[in-house]
Amino acid sequence: MAVPALTPHSDPPRSVPLREARTRFSQLVALAELTDAVTVVTRDGDPRPVAAIVPAAAARSGAQARADADRLATVTAGWARRLEEQHRRSTQRHAAELGAVRAALAEAWAELDSRVVPGSDPTLARLRAAHADLLAD
């Protein structure tokens, strides 16, 4: 079983009905060999692909494709672990920084409360209300 390789070509493969592929087979093979063109073969009257004529370097065995898939799965799992670890560290760092900000804000409000009677200044009351979610533990 041969499967197409991952090719960097962005050209859509040309599609040829089976009857035409039979008569032009040598030409399609030469085209694949010389220009790395991929030709998809369809059944006459049915647009679904049934086979392809590809350059020899692009054809891989099923075992090679499975090995590539296994390698890709291993690499993907490694990146997923790294991303999860980075997310965990980032979450911990964010929680620590938020705790430090809350402590500093509570300290600042305690100092303000010692200097100004709470509720006597409307501007401070508005600021305290804006910081209420950060001051609650």
Side-chain angles (χ1 to χ4, degrees):
M1 178 175 120
V3 294
L6 300 175
T7 58
H9 300 294
S10 61
D11 304 342
R14 72 188 74 226
S15 181
V16 175
L18 182 58
R19 183 175 296 131
E20 183 180 341
R22 280 188 199 123
T23 58
R24 294 181 47 205
F25 185 72
S26 295
Q27 179 188 9
L28 295 173
V29 169
L31 190 64
E33 180 183 23
L34 298 174
T35 65
D36 287 339
V38 174
T39 303
V40 174
V41 179
T42 61
R43 296 240 182 248
D44 296 327
D46 186 358
R48 293 178 296 177
V50 293
I53 300 171
V54 299
R60 299 177 299 155
S61 71
Q64 289 169 323
R66 283 188 296 278
D68 288 349
D70 291 344
R71 185 182 60 77
L72 181 62
T74 302
V75 169
T76 302
W79 276 109
R81 281 191 305 276
R82 288 182 196 97
L83 287 173
E84 186 60 37
E85 178 62 22
Q86 179 62 29
H87 181 263
R88 187 186 60 75
R89 278 187 267 152
S90 176
T91 301
Q92 288 175 340
R93 188 170 42 249
H94 176 73
E97 290 171 356
L98 184 59
V101 166
R102 284 182 170 169
L105 189 58
E107 187 178 328
W109 277 110
E111 184 63 30
L112 278 171
D113 289 344
S114 71
R115 295 173 188 248
V116 178
V117 177
S120 64
D121 187 344
T123 304
L124 287 179
R126 184 178 46 79
L127 286 172
R128 181 184 294 278
H131 294 153
D133 60 326
L134 293 171
L135 294 172
D137 283 328

